[in-house]
Amino acid sequence: MRGDGDGWVVSDTGTPYWGRHGAAGLLLRAPRADGTPAVLLQHRAPWSHQGGTWALPGGARDSHETPEQAAVREAHEEAGLLAEHVQVRATVVTAEVVGAGGAQWSYTTVVADAPELLSTVANRESSELRWVAEDEVIELPLHPGFAASWERLRITTMLSAHEHDECLQPVPHTVEIRAGVFAWCTSAAAEVS
């Protein structure tokens, strides 16, 4: 049922976490003009939990949704992104807690790519949406949960088409080179030109 995930789970230490069935966010990358990756970030509205910080578009999962479905839906709601412009590459559970009474809560980061820096439309949950160069993300005041997982999620290396079979696609994109370790593939087309 739509919206049945809205609500807080309180950990056994008393910390609240949004999403009765967990939460998910979309880590969307796209190539900048020079081919290096940019990440779409949301400047959270001042009234929201951890308002004023930068994070991924995302939110509560509904009971019927996979993390991928929830993250793509939330990115549509919060940034106006269309599902057909998003290519999911991987999912990473970046936070897990046990709530009061043994309830489980998790946050799943859905790693995805777009073919270009897509236009966005912010909803009331966003003060701003911005494509940020991968190397500049850490310079922003990040949401604590996102800050704690960023080093794990960021690109660790740049690969070219001849270095990895999955880099043979014609557009730059993210590749999970081993569980939870990501590389940015430059396009095969760029190497030919």
Side-chain angles (χ1 to χ4, degrees):
M1 169 186 289
R2 173 69 185 108
D4 71 349
D6 290 349
W8 297 95
V9 171
V10 179
S11 74
D12 52 8
T13 64
T15 305
Y17 294 89
W18 182 249
R20 292 180 48 228
H21 307 289
L26 188 70
L27 173 55
L28 185 63
R29 289 187 177 97
R32 297 171 42 190
D34 65 0
T36 61
V39 177
L40 180 63
L41 294 182
Q42 173 195 47
H43 193 199
R44 297 170 62 83
W47 60 265
S48 66
H49 185 251
Q50 300 290 341
T53 61
W54 290 85
L56 305 174
R61 281 179 54 197
D62 290 334
S63 61
H64 66 280
E65 291 181 307
T66 65
E68 295 89 344
Q69 291 168 331
V72 171
R73 174 185 52 77
E74 288 283 342
H76 175 70
E77 291 173 7
E78 296 177 0
L81 298 177
L82 300 176
E84 57 265 24
H85 295 153
V86 174
Q87 174 66 50
V88 172
R89 301 292 181 187
T91 59
V92 180
V93 175
T94 50
E96 291 182 287
V97 297
V98 176
Q104 298 284 337
W105 181 91
S106 65
Y107 186 93
T108 302
T109 301
V110 177
V111 178
D113 294 324
E116 60 188 8
L117 302 177
L118 302 172
S119 295
T120 59
V121 178
N123 74 356
R124 66 182 190 86
E125 296 179 42
S126 308
S127 293
E128 177 186 358
L129 294 161
R130 184 189 305 170
W131 288 99
V132 179
E134 181 110 2
D135 292 341
E136 297 172 7
V137 168
I138 199 68
E139 296 171 14
L140 297 170
L142 301 179
H143 179 283
F146 180 52
S149 63
W150 176 241
E151 283 303 315
R152 178 177 171 194
L153 296 167
R154 68 181 302 163
I155 295 296
T156 59
T157 189
M158 304 284 275
L159 297 174
S160 60
H162 67 276
E163 293 178 283
H164 198 283
D165 289 343
E166 290 188 46
C167 291
L168 295 175
Q169 295 179 17
V171 295
H173 61 281
T174 305
V175 170
E176 188 174 25
I177 53 178
R178 61 182 180 276
V181 178
F182 300 97
W184 181 252
C185 287
T186 56
S187 71
E191 290 194 3
V192 174
S193 33

